[in-house]
Amino acid sequence: MTEKQIAPTVVWAEIAVTDLEKSREYYGAVLQRELTTVHNAGPNPMVPLSDMDDPTVSAHLYPGTPSRDGNTIHLLVSGKLEEAMDRVTAA
């Protein structure tokens, strides 16, 4: 009997920070790993909280205004995008 693999619901998170370098140092100390700032992955520099090739759930820090409502979380949904959007609209 094979064990069914369950995909994670959360696949990525974005954390806005007002001081990218201080935040890089803080999260690096908390996570006990050296974090590096990436300048060529998009329009803004970012600090990945894990190796970008790591297939597990992760997040990144980016320069911005932190929201009082929380961080941006990306979810994994099943099916095609159009089907997922139909479920969003119906909900």
Side-chain angles (χ1 to χ4, degrees):
M1 172 186 258
T2 59
E3 193 173 315
K4 181 181 177 184
Q5 292 222 319
I6 300 174
T9 300
V10 175
V11 294
W12 193 261
E14 300 177 44
I15 304 170
V17 296
T18 55
D19 187 321
L20 190 61
E21 287 311 304
K22 279 188 178 180
S23 297
R24 181 189 60 75
E25 292 171 7
Y26 170 80
Y27 281 96
V30 169
L31 299 172
Q32 295 182 315
R33 64 178 72 146
E34 186 174 331
L35 300 177
T36 58
T37 303
V38 177
H39 293 279
N40 61 352
N44 298 309
M46 68 175 196
V47 176
L49 297 183
S50 67
D51 184 343
M52 294 296 283
D53 294 327
D54 186 346
T56 61
V57 177
S58 191
H60 72 269
L61 309 173
Y62 70 96
T65 303
S67 170
R68 293 180 186 259
D69 298 324
N71 299 307
T72 302
I73 306 296
H74 298 264
L75 305 175
L76 177 67
V77 296
S78 62
K80 295 181 179 180
L81 177 60
E82 294 80 11
E83 295 167 351
M85 292 307 298
D86 288 342
R87 293 194 302 271
V88 168
T89 302

